[in-house]
Amino acid sequence: MSATLERTRCRLRAHPLALDAALAAGVLVCMVAASFADGHGRHGVAWGIRTPDPLALVLMTLGALALVFRRRAPRTVLALTGAVSLIECVVGDPRAPVAMSAVVALFTVAATTDRATTWRLGLLTMTVLTGASMLFGPLPWYAQENLAIFAWTGIGATAGDAVRSRKAAVQAIRERAERAERTREEEARRRVAEERLRIARDLHDVVAHHIALVNVQAGVAAHVMDKRPDQAKEALAHVREASRSALNELRATVGLLRQSGDPEAPTEPAPGLDRLDELVGTFRSAGLHVEVARADQDTTLPAAVDLAAYRVIQEALTNVQKHAGTEAKAEVSVVRVGPNIEITVLDDGAGQDDDPEHGGGHGLLGMRERVSALRGTLTTGPRYGGGFRVHAILPVKTRTATTGGSA
């Protein structure tokens, strides 16, 4: 039953003119039926049957026909129905309920316009029709039919205004829901973009570091292959180890894209400063002289800060390996200073400068993005007398939101 009513309602909404025609026919039937009733008998109130005046029938028909176009021109329809109702109030004898069409038209105006227009046209319609029926009508001014005109026009205006207010409230709720949905979609897109950027930074750091080591060791192996095969074998072993490490880190990073329920998703934690010695060892095996000084008092860092510190050192040493020359030396220091952890990487090579195209390309940009995401600061630039300096200050304590977005 409810499904049938819903289908009927949808069809009527799809054909508003047909709905208005049906409404006009119903109003006409009600007016004609009411015009036959006589509430005033000779001996008090006695209901009987009376014959409506032909003019009243014409006026009722005109008022009902005007209602067919009430959606297209509500004010014009109100003027027409008001005019025929005014004529009936003045000359109608016996009185016929032509004003019913004006009530419906006033309801339509109130439902489709603003409140100020409703007040203005509603008061005008009530005053004109009630005043004309009281002053010029065939019934005494205190007759209940005159008071009924005043009451029904007021009810029509009030009901229409209530319908308009409800539609406005529903529309406002719908718009708020749509805005909330758009906001959620934009937030989801923003989070996806941030996650892609984070994964891209990790992939860059992993690939740049290990490929640089592989390149150096492969060059060493090619150089000593004929004269010192034992050293070439050692270099190739370092190549194999670096490539294995690269594959493991790539597998762990790409595994973050898997679904949480995937049994093959890696569970290895992200690297941090606890693996600093291992990281430095890979560079030393590639021929880079690296010295490490730590004064962080075994500080336990948040995962995001720990990973950022590791990646800054990794990228800085990779740039030294690629750009500072074969005889360069690097110094790494990790110091706890108050609420911050300070990372410094120095080298004495002559191959780097502050130009990103020569000083690490996207590496410097990636380091700066990592540090900025944690509300830290990063300073890079050439040293006086030669070499390059990378200095990062990272807060030991970070906000939950920042840590969750950067880990």
Side-chain angles (χ1 to χ4, degrees):
M1 184 65 179
S2 59
T4 303
L5 292 177
E6 186 64 25
R7 286 196 299 269
T8 303
R9 186 181 303 172
C10 292
R11 290 175 182 175
L12 291 176
R13 289 179 179 176
H15 302 85
L17 187 61
L19 178 60
D20 291 339
L23 176 63
V27 172
L28 178 60
V29 170
C30 291
M31 289 190 295
V32 172
S35 65
F36 281 92
D38 183 11
H40 299 278
R42 293 183 178 180
H43 305 286
V45 178
W47 292 92
I49 299 299
R50 64 179 180 179
T51 303
D53 186 81
L55 177 61
L57 293 176
V58 174
L59 295 176
M60 287 186 289
T61 303
L62 292 176
L65 288 176
L67 293 178
V68 177
F69 308 98
R70 68 187 186 95
R71 296 178 192 264
R72 297 185 179 182
R75 300 189 187 188
T76 303
V77 170
L78 177 61
L80 293 175
T81 55
V84 297
S85 299
L86 180 62
I87 296 173
E88 200 279 333
C89 288
V90 174
V91 302
D93 188 19
R95 180 71 59 84
V98 181
M100 186 182 298
S101 60
V103 172
V104 176
L106 183 57
F107 169 87
T108 304
V109 171
T112 55
T113 59
D114 56 282
R115 181 162 295 174
T117 303
T118 300
W119 274 93
R120 186 169 58 252
L121 295 181
L123 289 176
L124 178 62
T125 303
M126 293 166 60
T127 302
V128 171
L129 293 183
T130 306
S133 62
M134 287 182 174
L135 297 176
F136 306 105
L139 298 176
W141 68 269
Y142 52 85
Q144 62 180 5
E145 286 85 349
N146 298 334
L147 299 178
I149 293 176
F150 180 84
W152 281 108
T153 50
I155 291 174
T158 303
D161 184 72
V163 170
R164 180 195 56 78
S165 299
R166 181 181 179 278
K167 289 182 179 179
V170 171
Q171 182 64 24
I173 294 173
R174 185 180 293 111
E175 291 177 356
R176 285 197 297 270
E178 292 175 354
R179 284 197 300 268
E181 183 66 24
R182 287 195 300 268
T183 301
R184 284 193 294 269
E185 292 176 356
E186 292 172 358
E187 178 67 14
R189 287 194 294 267
R190 184 187 65 81
R191 290 182 179 273
V192 169
E194 290 179 353
E195 186 67 10
R196 287 177 177 174
L197 178 61
R198 185 187 65 79
I199 294 174
R201 285 199 302 260
D202 286 342
L203 289 175
H204 172 271
D205 293 342
V206 170
V207 172
H209 165 60
H210 291 288
I211 294 302
L213 297 181
V214 168
N215 181 61
V216 171
Q217 296 291 352
V220 172
H223 182 70
V224 301
M225 179 67 71
D226 296 330
K227 297 182 180 180
R228 303 181 61 181
D230 55 337
Q231 189 174 353
K233 290 181 180 179
E234 182 180 355
L236 291 177
H238 289 309
V239 169
R240 184 172 60 253
E241 182 64 26
S243 61
R244 182 184 298 112
S245 299
L247 289 175
N248 290 336
E249 290 201 40
L250 285 173
R251 187 178 298 110
T253 302
V254 175
L256 296 175
L257 299 176
R258 299 173 185 245
Q259 297 181 357
S260 59
D262 194 336
E264 298 182 2
T267 58
E268 181 180 356
L273 292 180
D274 57 335
R275 295 175 56 182
L276 180 58
D277 292 338
E278 178 184 345
L279 174 66
V280 172
T282 61
F283 285 100
R284 287 172 177 166
S285 65
L288 180 65
H289 181 73
V290 184
E291 295 182 359
V292 179
R294 298 189 64 170
D296 51 348
Q297 293 83 35
D298 297 327
T299 302
T300 302
L301 300 177
V305 177
D306 206 18
L307 175 62
Y310 180 89
R311 293 303 189 194
V312 167
I313 296 174
Q314 182 185 53
E315 181 61 29
L317 291 177
T318 300
N319 288 340
V320 174
Q321 181 76 49
K322 291 192 297 184
H323 304 293
T326 57
E327 303 299 327
K329 297 180 180 180
E331 299 177 4
V332 177
S333 67
V334 181
V335 181
R336 172 69 183 269
V337 181
N340 302 319
I341 192 84
E342 296 192 10
I343 310 296
T344 306
V345 180
L346 306 175
D347 72 82
D348 58 359
Q352 293 198 86
D353 54 37
D354 199 26
D355 185 358
E357 294 183 358
H358 301 89
H362 293 290
L364 292 180
L365 179 60
M367 283 192 289
R368 185 166 288 108
E369 289 175 347
R370 282 185 182 278
V371 174
S372 298
L374 298 174
R375 302 296 190 269
T377 58
L378 179 72
T379 305
T380 61
R383 300 172 63 193
Y384 179 77
F388 203 80
R389 177 177 181 269
V390 175
H391 181 67
I393 301 177
L394 298 170
V396 174
K397 296 182 179 180
T398 60
R399 294 182 301 180
T400 303
T402 302
T403 302
S406 303

